[in-house]
Amino acid sequence: GQQGSADPTLARGECRVALDPVTAGKLARHLDSAIADSGDAIVHVESGAGRHAHFDDAAYAEQAGVAIVAEQDIPAARAAADLILCVRTPSESQINDFREGAVIVALMTPYQNPQLIQTLAQRGLTSLCMEFVPRISRAQSMDALSSQAAVAGYHAALLAANESSVFFPMLTTAAGTVRPARVVVVGAGVAGLQAIATAKRLGAQVWAYDIRAAAREQVESLGAKMIDTGVDASGEGGYARELTDEERAQQAEALARHMGDAHVVISTAAIPGRPSPRIISREMVEGMKPGAVLVDLAAEGGGNCELTQPGARVEHGGVTVLGPLDMASSLSVNASEMYAKNLFNLLTPFMKDGELSLDFEDAVLGPMRLTEAGRITHDDVRARAEDAA
Amino acid sequence: GQQGSADPTLARGECRVALDPVTAGKLARHLDSAIADSGDAIVHVESGAGRHAHFDDAAYAEQAGVAIVAEQDIPAARAAADLILCVRTPSESQINDFREGAVIVALMTPYQNPQLIQTLAQRGLTSLCMEFVPRISRAQSMDALSSQAAVAGYHAALLAANESSVFFPMLTTAAGTVRPARVVVVGAGVAGLQAIATAKRLGAQVWAYDIRAAAREQVESLGAKMIDTGVDASGEGGYARELTDEERAQQAEALARHMGDAHVVISTAAIPGRPSPRIISREMVEGMKPGAVLVDLAAEGGGNCELTQPGARVEHGGVTVLGPLDMASSLSVNASEMYAKNLFNLLTPFMKDGELSLDFEDAVLGPMRLTEAGRITHDDVRARAEDAA
């Protein structure tokens, strides 16, 4: 295929931090208000950890019970930690700094990182995978995939509007009226709904495509229209079931028809830990208007579109296909605050008298555990790690 | 000062075209519906002229009375033209292609291009400067500065939201509530009002800064708040008068206070043909929050901010200062359509029986004339050209 051009604004790298200063302070007080009030630190933040999210060391140090760890003291602080909170899985060498039996929590992308998960097991760490928070009501406030997808969906709509050669809103000026842009959002999960809401706020006409008929109510409550494909693919856990070839063709035809009228397409159909489903073919892009923009939010998993190149901009027959990475990360302040609250809500029920005591019989914690006491405890992840070894 | 990094998304180059296909067809029919219906061409569009605005040659050729000029025929078509419609002033060599007595209309930026204006005069062209459409009610539909400023203001708000590390809207999620962003818009002219409207659409809290007290009503009608400086600087023609040092200091102090609370600042105070007023000092940027974004829409005239570098991104103490160029041009489809309508509304009253007959006693056309019959007829522009020679 053709070569896309790498674009630094489409791949900013990780800018989030696992705790913002306010949540760090709340965590310290929750763990032990007596100690926090005495001035002793309970929560230790590595110097510069919040830099890319614009939280400086001083903002953390202001919080009772929170201390900044100077660079030269980081290895010792890591070795002493009982609980390690991260955004992404630490590197091999970082993992080697931690002590046996410590608990580590992160967005682990375990299927993409089998070697690192193996290392976490070998080092005797207990690891919790934030992607595996179950989709049950009680766990909504802990669901980092949802909170981060909301950020990414909002940002995808802004990126699309910023790249578009037409206005999103209707505009009435002395020189005539500009009609609102037509936007198609593929996938009406958390990211898709937030993209829909944002495009609607900006005044666009929005159509949503989702193979789960159950998405209709939410789509319509945002003022968007559902593309009718005549196929229902609702499955377990809020994700979609496998479809027959005929059903797929019927869906593709309905989607292609709406894409041909659209100024902007935003695709958001990502399945955590798996390659993104290929929904948008080269032909469907070739059926779009010259000047149209496609933002593929599933680029991290390879993309929903055949032409997507992760982190790059592809021009194809007058259509621009963007494959942004780290979309949640680029709203680093709010994304970090929301992630920190997810961690706080997840862990504080298991903190008592200054101690962390995890219960893996718990309906939320159980499915999240990847490694403990030297082995990979999660069946699917262990199978993947064994395949990779 | 520090070196900014050039950013291709901040300087896309000219993407507009002076006529979109629909307006080209309307113009042909207006000029002579009999000829247009016969299939003879009246409006000639150079092949590829609409390429960057996503209007292809075929879309023009579909219109009755409009023909595409193949590349090899362009010099002959230029030599034969009675009326030449452009977005920007043509180059020296293009000007030499046109015949004596032809009429040319463009956004001429005459003060920055004294040499080109001299050439237009020497070649005996009659040139009309779109920046000099007077600000009277009758000319609103011809006012390209306004139509293009509306595009630029909308786009500036999107660019700012896209760069911001915080959400513009308030967001209520399972992981807590995100407060709306605080946005300050400097200058409440057409561009500023459109930036305000767009930031409000996205859900931000918006404050506007304008030295003309008369701007208050429009700002408040958009749901934004006016920053109260205690100084009124309303002047003639909708632009601001010169201020005393004391008044300036009082204003700067009020603006700096609001900038210190803002997540985003969008500055839009451009005066056509003059360097942009310096409103935002280095110190004011240094008083902003880490992670804040400043979009300086006045970058083409040097910028409202002391730190702005046209076409580049400057990071200063955690604040990102963007100096975008060609902001109207990047919404190339709508910007071209609006500009084409401005041209149509301006010129068609002077077209009769297939002939163009300009009346420079007219209150709109008179002030727009730069050159005619071998000389620069516009006093200010002539003075500038003589200074430059």
Side-chain angles (χ1 to χ4, degrees):
Chain A
Q2 71 204 103
Q3 193 57 44
S5 51
D7 183 331
T9 66
L10 299 177
R12 295 174 199 236
E14 185 54 69
C15 297
R16 293 169 293 183
V17 58
L19 289 178
D20 62 284
V22 171
T23 308
K26 278 179 63 183
L27 190 63
R29 286 190 295 281
H30 185 93
L31 266 162
D32 198 327
S33 58
I35 298 182
D37 290 347
S38 76
D40 289 344
I42 300 171
V43 174
H44 302 262
V45 176
E46 295 183 4
S47 175
R51 188 177 51 236
H52 296 298
H54 311 293
F55 302 124
D56 61 17
D57 287 355
Y60 288 99
E62 268 172 18
Q63 299 282 336
V66 180
I68 288 293
V69 182
E71 197 146 352
Q72 70 274 17
D73 301 327
I74 288 177
R78 286 182 182 165
D82 298 311
L83 173 63
I84 301 128
L85 303 179
C86 309
V87 176
R88 305 259 193 181
T89 322
S91 68
E92 201 84 24
S93 81
Q94 289 171 326
I95 293 172
N96 286 324
D97 286 345
F98 301 126
R99 71 163 180 77
E100 203 181 315
V103 175
I104 182 164
V105 191
L107 288 159
M108 297 274 185
T109 51
Y111 298 117
Q112 286 88 328
N113 287 331
Q115 185 51 54
L116 288 179
I117 308 304
Q118 197 66 67
T119 305
L120 288 167
Q122 282 161 359
R123 288 289 303 162
L125 289 157
T126 299
S127 53
L128 297 180
C129 175
M130 287 300 282
E131 286 96 332
F132 290 166
V133 170
R135 292 196 150 182
I136 59 177
S137 302
R138 174 164 78 79
Q140 272 185 27
S141 68
M142 312 161 194
D143 187 348
L145 282 185
S146 282
S147 69
Q148 305 305 296
V151 179
Y154 163 79
H155 198 200
L158 285 181
L159 177 63
N162 196 46
E163 285 286 335
S164 176
S165 51
V166 299
F167 276 97
F168 271 31
M170 188 179 85
L171 207 71
T172 309
T173 73
T177 297
V178 174
R179 278 180 295 182
R182 288 186 296 276
V183 174
V184 170
V185 176
V186 176
V190 175
L193 291 170
Q194 204 49 248
I196 291 167
T198 306
K200 285 298 297 180
R201 274 179 179 282
L202 280 170
Q205 289 186 288
V206 184
W207 282 263
Y209 173 87
D210 197 297
I211 51 180
R212 299 164 304 133
R216 178 180 296 272
E217 194 184 326
Q218 283 171 297
V219 166
E220 290 179 351
S221 75
L222 292 171
K225 295 188 191 83
M226 195 78 176
I227 294 177
D228 210 338
T229 65
V231 179
D232 180 11
S234 301
E236 275 175 63
Y239 297 105
R241 70 170 167 84
E242 288 289 311
L243 298 180
T244 67
D245 286 351
E246 197 182 332
E247 286 174 323
R248 277 183 208 283
Q250 187 179 336
Q251 288 181 336
E253 198 270 325
L255 177 57
R257 207 169 47 239
H258 281 81
M259 282 177 61
D261 287 332
H263 299 96
V264 161
V265 174
I266 301 167
S267 75
T268 71
I271 305 174
R274 305 216 196 125
S276 306
R278 278 294 156 83
I279 298 173
I280 300 169
S281 67
R282 170 188 297 264
E283 289 70 30
M284 287 158 87
V285 173
E286 287 167 356
M288 291 175 73
K289 290 173 186 292
V293 176
L294 190 158
V295 174
D296 191 343
L297 205 50
E300 265 175 69
N304 293 138
C305 174
E306 187 181 345
L307 296 171
T308 296
Q309 291 179 22
R313 164 190 304 268
V314 175
E315 306 287 342
H316 186 83
V319 177
T320 302
V321 179
L322 302 177
L325 304 172
D326 317 303
M327 282 294 267
S329 195
S330 51
L331 253 79
S332 54
V333 171
N334 293 150
S336 299
E337 288 169 347
M338 291 163 88
Y339 182 69
K341 280 180 185 158
N342 294 142
L343 291 174
F344 183 89
N345 294 334
L346 174 74
L347 296 169
T348 47
F350 302 100
M351 291 174 175
K352 228 180 214 164
D353 304 325
E355 295 283 328
L356 179 70
S357 167
L358 300 178
D359 170 12
F360 289 113
E361 300 300 312
D362 180 81
V364 177
L365 280 194
M368 294 178 63
R369 185 177 53 176
L370 292 188
T371 67
E372 193 179 29
R375 54 186 290 274
I376 300 180
T377 53
H378 191 283
D379 292 341
D380 285 356
V381 172
R382 188 175 56 248
R384 191 74 65 100
E386 283 165 1
D387 284 353
Chain B
Q2 71 204 102
Q3 193 57 44
S5 51
D7 184 332
T9 66
L10 298 178
R12 296 173 199 235
E14 185 54 69
C15 297
R16 292 170 293 184
V17 58
L19 288 177
D20 63 285
V22 171
T23 308
K26 277 179 64 181
L27 190 63
R29 286 189 297 280
H30 185 94
L31 266 162
D32 198 327
S33 58
I35 299 185
D37 291 346
S38 76
D40 289 343
I42 299 170
V43 174
H44 301 262
V45 176
E46 297 184 3
S47 175
R51 188 176 53 237
H52 296 297
H54 312 292
F55 301 124
D56 60 18
D57 287 356
Y60 289 97
E62 269 172 18
Q63 299 283 334
V66 180
I68 288 291
V69 182
E71 197 146 350
Q72 70 274 17
D73 301 329
I74 287 177
R78 286 182 182 163
D82 298 312
L83 173 62
I84 302 130
L85 304 178
C86 309
V87 176
R88 306 258 194 185
T89 321
S91 67
E92 201 84 24
S93 81
Q94 288 170 327
I95 292 171
N96 286 326
D97 286 345
F98 302 124
R99 71 161 181 77
E100 203 181 316
V103 176
I104 181 164
V105 192
L107 287 158
M108 296 273 184
T109 51
Y111 297 118
Q112 285 89 330
N113 287 331
Q115 184 53 54
L116 288 179
I117 308 305
Q118 196 66 67
T119 305
L120 288 168
Q122 282 160 359
R123 289 287 304 160
L125 289 156
T126 299
S127 53
L128 297 180
C129 176
M130 287 299 282
E131 287 97 330
F132 291 166
V133 170
R135 292 195 150 183
I136 59 177
S137 303
R138 174 164 78 80
Q140 271 186 26
S141 68
M142 312 161 193
D143 187 348
L145 283 185
S146 282
S147 70
Q148 304 305 298
V151 179
Y154 164 80
H155 198 202
L158 286 181
L159 177 64
N162 197 44
E163 285 286 335
S164 176
S165 51
V166 299
F167 276 98
F168 271 31
M170 188 179 84
L171 208 72
T172 307
T173 73
T177 298
V178 174
R179 278 179 295 181
R182 287 186 295 275
V183 173
V184 170
V185 175
V186 177
V190 176
L193 290 170
Q194 204 49 248
I196 292 168
T198 306
K200 285 298 297 180
R201 274 178 179 282
L202 280 170
Q205 290 186 287
V206 183
W207 281 263
Y209 172 86
D210 196 298
I211 51 180
R212 298 164 304 132
R216 177 180 298 273
E217 193 183 327
Q218 284 171 296
V219 165
E220 291 179 350
S221 75
L222 292 171
K225 296 187 191 83
M226 195 78 177
I227 294 177
D228 209 337
T229 65
V231 179
D232 180 12
S234 302
E236 274 172 65
Y239 297 106
R241 68 170 168 85
E242 288 288 312
L243 297 179
T244 68
D245 287 352
E246 196 182 334
E247 285 174 323
R248 278 184 208 282
Q250 186 180 337
Q251 288 181 334
E253 199 270 326
L255 176 57
R257 208 169 48 239
H258 281 81
M259 284 178 61
D261 288 332
H263 299 96
V264 161
V265 174
I266 300 167
S267 75
T268 70
I271 304 175
R274 305 221 195 121
S276 306
R278 280 293 156 83
I279 298 172
I280 300 169
S281 66
R282 169 187 297 265
E283 290 69 33
M284 288 158 87
V285 173
E286 288 168 354
M288 291 174 74
K289 292 172 183 293
V293 176
L294 191 158
V295 173
D296 191 343
L297 205 51
E300 265 175 70
N304 293 140
C305 173
E306 185 180 348
L307 297 171
T308 297
Q309 292 179 21
R313 164 190 303 267
V314 174
E315 306 285 344
H316 186 83
V319 177
T320 302
V321 179
L322 301 178
L325 304 173
D326 316 304
M327 282 294 268
S329 194
S330 51
L331 253 81
S332 53
V333 172
N334 293 149
S336 299
E337 288 168 348
M338 290 162 88
Y339 181 69
K341 281 181 183 157
N342 295 141
L343 291 174
F344 183 89
N345 294 335
L346 174 74
L347 295 169
T348 48
F350 303 99
M351 293 174 176
K352 229 180 212 164
D353 306 323
E355 294 284 329
L356 180 70
S357 166
L358 300 178
D359 170 12
F360 290 113
E361 299 300 312
D362 179 80
V364 177
L365 281 194
M368 294 178 64
R369 184 178 53 175
L370 292 188
T371 68
E372 193 178 28
R375 54 188 290 273
I376 300 180
T377 53
H378 191 283
D379 292 340
D380 284 358
V381 173
R382 188 176 53 247
R384 191 74 64 100
E386 282 166 2
D387 284 354

